[in-house]
Amino acid sequence: MTRRVRIGAQVAPQHATWHEISSAVRRAEDLGVDVIFNWDHFFPLTGDPDGAHFEAWTMLAAMAESTERVEFGPLVNCTIFRNADLQADMARTIDHISGGRFIFGTGAGWFEREFDEYGYPFGTPGQRLDILADDLDRIRVRWSKLNPPPLRDIPVLIGGKGEQKTLRIVAQHADIWHSFVEPEIYRQKAKVLARWCHEIGRSISDIEFASGTGPRGQGSLDHAYLDEQHAVGITLFSAPMMGPEFDDSAVRALLEWRASRGLE
């Protein structure tokens, strides 16, 4: 399967007013990105750890109304923060508000402070991944029962690189696999994912490969580096737009690279 290269912007809900965040979302859409992500955290991940921050899912519902063309979703939802059936219902509702543009990005969580302060059990990475796998089964069952149902088969994005659990869950459930790793490591992880796909009887070509890149250390915006990422199969590239400035230079660089390679 030959996939079109898609460009995403991750608009973080931190260190800004809602008006500033919403304006950044609309600006990203106007730039021509294909996907806009936020993240599901309760505290900032950069800058002042106690700075301004907003909740993810209520922001996503607002994004459904304020955008017209882009797909959008969390990068990524933390499944432990919300009942699985409720997650399914929220995703279905936002899918309808947006006219069928929602991407359900999900994961097991990792930021211990937010678990502790909001009263969720942190457990171990393995325990959290077991919960994620169980929750994804429940979410798919709930989607099949909801009235009205989702407007489309909502794409599921799963982030991570763990070979024993995470990539098995990706093989079972994901339409998009997202990971922050160097191209050669991504290639190695893809081989593991292919083995898991073979084991469950699924083609790895069904899964879109995605990666973050840009100034936060997830990879260079140099064209040669982006070519390397594309060569290992990545077709969804995203770059951050962080408050309070919401600098869009990294997103513009991705768009310029795509145009220069004729990959629109």
Side-chain angles (χ1 to χ4, degrees):
M1 178 188 296
T2 301
R3 295 184 183 272
R4 170 179 171 268
V5 168
R6 302 199 293 164
I7 303 300
Q10 186 175 35
V11 179
Q14 63 174 15
H15 302 312
T17 66
W18 168 247
H19 175 75
E20 291 167 332
I21 295 168
S22 182
S23 295
V25 167
R26 292 193 297 272
R27 176 155 48 94
E29 183 173 48
D30 290 343
L31 284 173
V33 303
D34 304 285
V35 184
I36 299 176
F37 297 112
N38 66 357
W39 64 37
D40 186 18
H41 292 285
F42 300 137
F43 302 98
L45 298 187
T46 61
D48 179 0
D50 295 311
H53 199 281
F54 290 100
E55 192 276 331
W57 279 86
T58 40
M59 175 181 172
L60 290 166
M63 288 168 62
E65 285 280 12
S66 63
T67 58
E68 298 179 353
R69 175 189 54 81
V70 292
E71 291 188 286
F72 65 99
L75 186 64
V76 288
N77 168 68
C78 178
T79 198
I80 294 170
F81 294 164
R82 303 164 190 88
N83 170 278
D85 294 85
L86 174 61
Q87 292 176 56
D89 207 338
M90 292 191 302
R92 180 280 310 256
T93 299
I94 293 175
D95 190 56
H96 275 261
I97 294 170
S98 68
R101 295 182 286 119
F102 186 68
I103 295 172
F104 183 64
T106 193
W110 58 268
F111 190 12
E112 189 169 3
R113 177 191 176 187
E114 54 201 5
F115 283 77
D116 292 343
E117 293 213 22
Y118 277 67
Y120 297 104
F122 189 59
T124 67
Q127 289 170 333
R128 296 196 300 275
L129 286 166
D130 288 342
I131 293 170
L132 174 64
D134 290 343
D135 283 358
L136 282 163
D137 288 334
R138 287 176 56 189
I139 286 163
R140 291 195 180 279
V141 170
R142 181 56 56 189
W143 278 340
S144 72
K145 294 179 178 181
L146 288 170
N147 182 18
L151 292 174
R152 63 171 179 169
D153 290 333
I154 296 176
V156 174
L157 179 154
I158 297 174
K161 61 183 179 181
E163 296 184 3
Q164 297 305 310
K165 289 195 174 187
T166 301
L167 292 180
R168 180 179 62 193
I169 297 169
V170 170
Q172 292 170 328
H173 291 285
D175 301 287
I176 306 168
W177 167 47
H178 189 286
S179 189
F180 295 120
V181 294
E182 295 296 309
E184 196 53 44
I185 298 175
Y186 205 109
R187 191 191 305 274
Q188 296 168 14
K189 299 296 182 180
K191 291 178 181 178
V192 176
L193 177 59
R195 292 199 295 270
W196 282 119
C197 286
H198 177 74
E199 183 170 311
I200 67 172
R202 185 183 184 195
S203 172
I204 194 172
S205 65
D206 294 339
I207 301 172
E208 182 177 19
F209 288 10
S211 181
T213 193
R216 288 177 60 217
Q218 299 102 324
S220 169
L221 286 166
D222 175 80
H223 283 198
Y225 183 89
L226 295 171
D227 290 342
E228 287 184 50
Q229 289 188 299
H230 187 234
V232 301
I234 296 167
T235 57
L236 174 54
F237 297 78
S238 60
M241 290 176 62
M242 295 287 174
E245 298 87 2
F246 295 106
D247 179 7
D248 59 25
S249 59
V251 174
R252 289 178 183 272
L254 286 177
L255 291 165
E256 290 165 4
W257 166 77
R258 179 174 69 175
S260 75
R261 299 300 191 259
L263 296 170
E264 296 97 330

